[in-house]
Amino acid sequence: MTTIPAPPLRVLHAAAEIFPLVKTGGLADVVGALPQALAAAGADIRLLLPGLPAILDAVSRPRKIFEGGSLFGAARITLRLGRFKDGIKGCDVRAYVLDAPWLYARSGGPYQGPDGRPWDDNLQRFALLGWAAAHLAAGELDPAWRPDILHAHDWHAALGCSYLRAHPGAHARSIFTIHNLAYQGLFAQDDFAALGLPQRFMRPDGLEFHGQLSFMKGGLAHADRLTTVSPTYAREITTPEFGCGVEGVLSARAADLSGILNGVDYSHWDPSTDPALPAHYDPQDLTGKAACKAALQREFGLTTDTASPVIAVVSRLSEQKGLDLALAALPELLAEGAQFAILGSGDAALERAFAEAAAAHPGRVGVRIGYDETLAHRVIAGADLILVPSRFEPCGLTQLYGMRYGTLPLVRRVGGLADTVDRSTGFLFDAAEPAALAEAARHAILTLRDPLRRRAMQQQAMSRDHGWPAAAQQYLSLYRALMGRQP
Ligand code: ADP
Ligand code: GLC
């Protein structure tokens, strides 16, 4: 008997950002690489993205798939399908883009205006994303491509799972991936009427969250499976300490919740080819790294002293990242002979405090406030240690980038940091306290002074494989299980 191979699984990924077009954090890196890795592993993958100007501009020869309106305040909505133009390394899979100028054609960030405040119509902007995701998944918008699975990322796309659940005829299953539970997409309860969902969904076992409307809860309550981006964070979020108030919902769904570690796009993060670097290197020959360090010291106004370990941070400056701990520990780090280089933006008080630290310690502390993709590569290549002292960290990518660049991670043992860094590749501390950070830093600095030990750790770290293919295989297994297919 001959067996007919099953057709490739069709999966629609819905998300709000994609590297390199629109990026506020690691979510964009994931959306720019995971679909590609899944396609390479044999799945039939498409993306759904909001038509933010940078995204619309990047799609070559988009084909009109659907035209409609008025929806969520937008008179005109056109769903277009295309591939990204050459040179956009984000990905090669096909993308549906929601061209809805009323909601998306504006300058500013994907979630906030230029004044840093959330867009007033975020409810409409991301309800449309979810609505379109579900209608595509149900075969309503593009009958030529009916996905088996809708894979929605973070609160921005979470309502896709709710719309799908509300439709009795939809055969597609859904997966919701939590990239960060701290951002839930909360709106006034009264706005629920604008969504066009069944009233019964506005209950605590649905979208209701302490008198508010939570988009995130749409994913948590209505997706068939839940994932997050590390096994440790998957456990942590079922506890009050990390559960952001939805630990009860997550505990109740523990059997459907799993953690799959993010990967690294090594075509973009490779010190032997990285075009952003002044010199190249690999695990066999790290000479180029010394040149990267000297260049970084110059670029950040640090004394060009090869013996001083450079501790670097590349991060959003937010409560999550624990950088107040780094500030408090700074005097001790400097007393140990370290230099400090930080590239980040976010919280105004932290931005000011780091700028003041740089002014107080010329030649020892260098600060760049802002967001700069190529500078991030140079900082990660040139530093000796990459510091990630997060209070919580769903996965974290910068420690993985650091490892590939022979820049040893100094991290808090939490979430994905605990799952990716060990004593042979980096340095860990437990308490979210400056003294614990300082103690681990002291140990790290001491270790770095031993050239053999340092070299051994760098080689271990650089040769760890955190590429996307392994993560893609885990997602594929999950998809197959969800569809009742053989693993
Ligand atoms: P999160 O998504 O919580 O911000 P991750 O570690 O998963 O944390 O991803 C952060 C991503 O954003 C990485 O690609 C990192 O290099 C990048 N990044 C963070 N801050 C900056 C910055 N100021 N300039 C350039 N890149 C940054
Ligand atoms: C979130 C998390 C981060 C994770 C990223 C991509 O922004 O804060 O830990 O790496 O999403 O999944």
Side-chain angles (χ1 to χ4, degrees):
M1 196 178 80
T2 51
T3 48
I4 302 163
L9 280 167
R10 284 186 172 173
V11 186
L12 176 70
H13 280 253
E17 41 185 284
I18 182 165
F19 176 83
L21 305 172
V22 175
K23 168 166 166 174
T24 69
L27 170 64
D29 293 5
V30 173
V31 176
L34 171 61
Q36 183 79 33
L38 288 165
D44 182 2
I45 305 288
R46 291 190 187 179
L47 277 157
L48 170 69
L49 299 162
L52 302 166
I55 292 177
L56 264 185
D57 287 353
V59 179
S60 85
R61 288 186 285 122
R63 193 154 58 83
K64 192 189 291 178
I65 296 293
F66 166 85
E67 202 164 20
S70 129
L71 268 169
F72 302 109
R76 194 164 46 83
I77 286 163
T78 314
L79 184 72
R80 303 185 191 279
L81 174 65
R83 285 184 197 274
F84 290 110
K85 290 174 189 161
D86 287 352
I88 299 301
K89 215 154 55 76
C91 68
D92 190 31
V93 307
R94 282 205 257 183
Y96 294 101
V97 180
L98 273 165
D99 185 359
W102 185 260
L103 296 173
Y104 302 134
R106 49 183 87 163
S107 50
Y111 320 117
Q112 302 176 334
D115 60 1
R117 292 188 18 201
W119 295 112
D120 284 336
D121 55 355
N122 271 344
L123 175 113
Q124 287 81 357
R125 298 172 75 241
F126 295 107
L128 176 64
L129 184 64
W131 179 93
H135 283 74
L136 270 168
E140 288 279 306
L141 299 183
D142 185 0
W145 193 81
R146 288 173 77 102
D148 300 300
I149 292 172
L150 165 63
H151 190 153
H153 296 270
D154 263 355
W155 74 263
H156 327 111
L159 277 199
C161 307
S162 302
Y163 285 113
L164 205 54
R165 178 61 66 88
H167 192 284
H171 88 292
R173 316 302 304 276
S174 66
I175 293 184
F176 178 59
T177 294
I178 302 159
H179 292 266
N180 195 331
L181 202 58
Y183 302 96
Q184 302 197 352
L186 296 178
F187 300 95
Q189 194 163 9
D190 292 349
D191 289 337
F192 178 74
L195 301 179
L197 283 166
Q199 191 58 43
R200 66 177 193 285
F201 279 16
M202 195 53 194
R203 290 194 312 224
D205 63 354
L207 275 59
E208 198 268 343
F209 182 67
H210 300 292
Q212 287 182 291
L213 157 62
S214 160
F215 272 37
M216 172 74 87
K217 281 195 71 190
L220 304 186
H222 298 134
D224 293 304
R225 288 281 193 287
L226 304 174
T227 72
T228 186
V229 287
S230 69
T232 294
Y233 193 62
R235 285 190 298 277
E236 288 171 344
I237 55 179
T238 62
T239 68
E241 188 185 351
F242 295 98
C244 299
V246 289
E247 59 275 9
V249 185
L250 286 161
S251 303
R253 298 212 57 192
D256 296 327
L257 169 66
S258 57
I260 298 177
L261 276 175
N262 285 334
V264 174
D265 182 349
Y266 289 129
S267 67
H268 192 66
W269 289 96
D270 177 355
S272 67
T273 55
D274 190 335
L277 306 189
H280 293 124
Y281 57 95
D282 57 40
Q284 282 69 49
D285 180 4
L286 283 153
T287 348
K289 187 163 172 63
C292 291
K293 175 168 172 175
L296 174 67
Q297 287 174 316
R298 280 194 298 276
E299 194 166 5
F300 271 68
L302 302 171
T303 320
T304 42
D305 165 9
T306 47
S308 293
V310 175
I311 303 179
V313 168
V314 176
S315 185
R316 291 185 290 115
L317 303 181
S318 73
E319 161 82 11
Q320 169 188 350
K321 301 292 178 179
L323 293 165
D324 51 315
L325 306 176
L327 260 179
L330 195 61
E332 285 186 63
L333 307 188
L334 298 179
E336 291 294 325
Q339 297 181 343
F340 195 78
I342 172 160
L343 166 62
S345 63
D347 180 88
L350 276 174
E351 288 186 354
R352 215 174 316 117
F354 278 113
E356 282 166 12
H361 303 283
R364 308 291 306 283
V365 177
V367 174
R368 281 300 167 77
I369 300 302
Y371 190 92
D372 185 331
E373 192 67 37
T374 51
L375 183 55
H377 286 240
R378 290 198 295 279
V379 172
I380 289 174
D384 296 291
L385 295 167
I386 179 100
L387 173 63
V388 195
S390 306
R391 292 206 154 70
F392 68 94
E393 195 60 73
C395 177
L397 293 169
T398 48
Q399 82 280 12
L400 298 176
Y401 300 154
M403 281 161 69
R404 180 49 57 124
Y405 281 61
T407 304
L408 301 178
L410 167 55
V411 304
R412 184 154 176 252
R413 197 189 316 274
V414 73
L417 300 170
D419 292 339
T420 54
V421 180
D422 61 46
R423 283 183 8 215
S424 61
T425 56
F427 307 91
L428 294 118
F429 62 97
D430 288 287
E433 286 163 15
L437 190 164
E439 179 54 36
R442 244 191 312 275
H443 173 61
I445 291 167
L446 214 62
T447 309
L448 290 181
R449 293 209 172 106
D450 173 348
L452 287 180
R453 180 93 186 97
R454 173 197 185 113
R455 187 60 199 251
M457 286 185 75
Q458 283 178 314
Q459 276 175 343
Q460 281 278 346
M462 292 177 88
S463 57
R464 283 290 157 92
D465 180 10
H466 283 287
W468 275 109
Q473 285 305 328
Q474 292 184 61
Y475 280 109
L476 280 179
S477 301
L478 185 69
Y479 296 160
R480 289 194 196 103
L482 189 55
M483 298 307 296
R485 291 199 189 174
Q486 292 298 316

